[in-house]
């Protein structure tokens, strides 16, 4: 194969989705978790998957990872660019580590399990990147929940996948660990890795993701570039507490909003201005405040 052929294949691969989901449907008895879900995750991008509690996010991620079998629909995962390696790795919500084995042994094992022959070298770099050095000789059962979470995410990264699935990866992480993790995610995006990030932390999603897919009741209700969606659906809101009751007025004219809600003589107790953001997109499309949403 010539150099030109190789570069042509690389360019073609970068235009193909690392993951393509079409018409995904999954039920649990009478409960419909997913109904006709479509989404693409391109190489070199971070896609945020958001939605209310029970929207189907975790089900979608687990189907994409091959951990759940959908009732119908297709999940297409592109072959790995590195022969012998797994094309996809997942850091699921549930922390999955061997509690009686040192962190270093855990991570090397997961690397070898994914076909990474030089797992020790990969781990050496990853330990520096995620600041895991002090944890390598410890047992997972002796770590804090936040430390366990970081090691759990590292177990997916040590696989060096082309598609990285992260389901609530920052749960229980402190601020410093979150920044370290997202810096690592950014470096993988720059290297051409496709990342799907499922999270309820909308500020993190807005700051980290190129695009989002918002689902509700197992269906896509909005998808696209983050800034475009904020411009289209993220109109500001003004929340006012009048006589103990919260009232919401769309827009950003505070004086007009106050005049509107106090026209009947009510006592204004508090005013909260919510600027256009991914959170206001979430509120406007689902009718729910993101802080009222718990892990699904």
């Amino acid at each position: 194969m010539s150099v030109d052929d190789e570069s042509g294949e690389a360019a073609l691969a970068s235009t193909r989705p690392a993951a393509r989901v079409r018409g995904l449907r999954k039920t649990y008895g009478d409960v419909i978790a997913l109904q006709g879900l479509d989404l693409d995750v391109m190489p070199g991008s971070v896609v945020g998957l958001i939605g209310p509690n029970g929207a189907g996010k975790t089900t979608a991620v687990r189907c994409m990872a091959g951990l759940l079998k959908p009732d119908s629909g297709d999940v297409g995962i592109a072959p790995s660019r590195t022969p012998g390696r797994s094309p996809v790795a997942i850091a699921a919500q549930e922390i999955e580590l061997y509690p009686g084995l040192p962190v270093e042994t855990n991570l090397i094992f997961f690397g070898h399990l994914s076909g990474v022959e030089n797992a020790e070298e990969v781990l050496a770099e990853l330990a520096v990147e995620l600041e895991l050095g002090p944890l390598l000789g410890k047992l997972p059962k002796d770590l804090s929940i936040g430390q366990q979470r970081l090691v759990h995410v590292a177990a997916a990264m040590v696989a060096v996948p082309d598609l990285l699935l992260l389901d609530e990866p920052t749960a229980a992480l402190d601020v410093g660990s979150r920044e370290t993790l997202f810096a690592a995610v950014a470096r993988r995006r720059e290297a051409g890795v496709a990342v799907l990030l499922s999270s309820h932390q909308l500020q993190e999603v807005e700051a980290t993701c190129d695009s989002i897919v918002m689902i509700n009741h197992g269906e896509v209700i909005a998808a696209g570039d983050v800034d475009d969606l904020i411009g289209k659906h993220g109109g500001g809101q003004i929340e006012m507490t009048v006589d103990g009751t919260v009232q919401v007025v769309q827009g950003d004219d505070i004086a007009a909003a106050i005049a509107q809600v106090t026209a009947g003589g009510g006592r204004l107790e508090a005013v909260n201005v919510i600027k256009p953001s991914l959170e206001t997109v979430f509120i406007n499309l689902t009718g729910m405040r993101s802080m009222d949403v718990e892990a699904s």
Side-chain angles (χ1 to χ4, degrees):
M1 180 182 293
S2 69
V3 173
D4 288 342
D5 290 338
E6 290 179 351
S7 61
E9 284 196 5
L12 181 60
S14 68
T15 64
R16 294 173 177 168
R20 169 162 285 182
V21 175
R22 291 293 181 270
L24 202 63
R25 178 179 173 84
K26 178 65 179 178
T27 59
Y28 300 97
D30 295 332
V31 177
I32 301 175
L34 296 174
Q35 45 184 335
L37 178 68
D38 296 338
L39 66 86
D40 290 340
V41 188
M42 301 298 296
S45 70
V46 181
V47 177
L49 183 63
I50 63 176
N53 183 34
K57 301 183 298 299
T58 291
T59 297
V61 173
R62 293 180 70 84
C63 285
M64 293 173 68
L67 300 178
L68 278 179
K69 182 178 180 181
D71 299 333
S72 59
D74 297 311
V75 176
I77 304 297
S80 175
R81 294 173 293 181
T82 305
R85 289 187 182 173
S86 175
V88 57
I90 179 175
Q93 277 196 42
E94 302 81 11
I95 295 175
E96 297 170 338
L97 299 167
Y98 292 98
L101 296 178
V103 166
E104 183 175 17
T105 304
N106 264 278
L107 295 178
I108 291 174
F109 170 75
F110 284 118
H112 286 311
L113 190 65
S114 299
V116 181
E117 295 181 357
N118 62 333
E120 292 84 357
E121 296 176 19
V122 173
L123 175 57
E125 296 178 0
L126 188 62
V128 173
E129 185 178 27
L130 295 183
E131 301 176 3
L132 297 175
L135 308 181
L136 293 179
K138 297 183 178 180
L139 300 179
K141 65 180 183 179
D142 296 329
L143 303 180
S144 70
I145 295 299
Q147 290 171 331
Q148 290 181 30
R149 174 71 61 185
L150 190 60
V151 173
H152 172 68
V153 175
M157 289 185 170
V158 78
V160 198
D162 293 330
L163 171 64
L164 181 61
L165 305 175
L166 302 176
D167 194 0
E168 299 292 344
T170 62
L173 293 188
D174 59 33
V175 174
S177 294
R178 289 185 183 198
E179 292 181 354
T180 298
L181 175 58
F182 282 125
V185 169
R187 281 189 285 272
R188 278 151 184 78
R189 172 174 53 189
E190 292 170 1
V193 175
V195 181
L196 180 70
L197 171 65
S198 174
S199 177
H200 284 107
Q201 303 297 325
L202 297 184
Q203 290 183 340
E204 291 179 352
V205 172
E206 183 175 341
T208 305
C209 298
D210 307 298
S211 62
I212 65 164
V213 176
M214 184 183 298
I215 62 175
N216 199 9
H217 303 297
E219 293 183 303
V220 176
I221 59 174
D225 177 87
V226 174
D227 291 337
D228 290 345
L229 288 175
I230 292 175
K232 183 176 181 181
H233 300 289
Q237 297 181 331
I238 302 171
E239 288 185 346
M240 289 156 290
T241 304
V242 180
D243 294 333
T245 301
V246 177
Q247 300 186 39
V248 179
V249 174
Q250 303 294 327
D252 55 9
D253 190 332
I254 299 175
I258 293 175
Q260 176 181 330
V261 300
T262 58
R267 179 174 177 270
L268 180 66
E269 299 168 349
V271 176
N272 180 30
V273 179
I274 305 174
K275 296 181 179 180
S277 65
L278 190 55
E279 181 172 349
T280 58
V281 174
F282 186 96
I283 295 170
N284 291 335
L285 294 182
T286 68
M288 299 177 62
R289 290 298 302 269
S290 62
M291 67 273 296
D292 298 329
V293 178
E294 300 177 356
S296 61

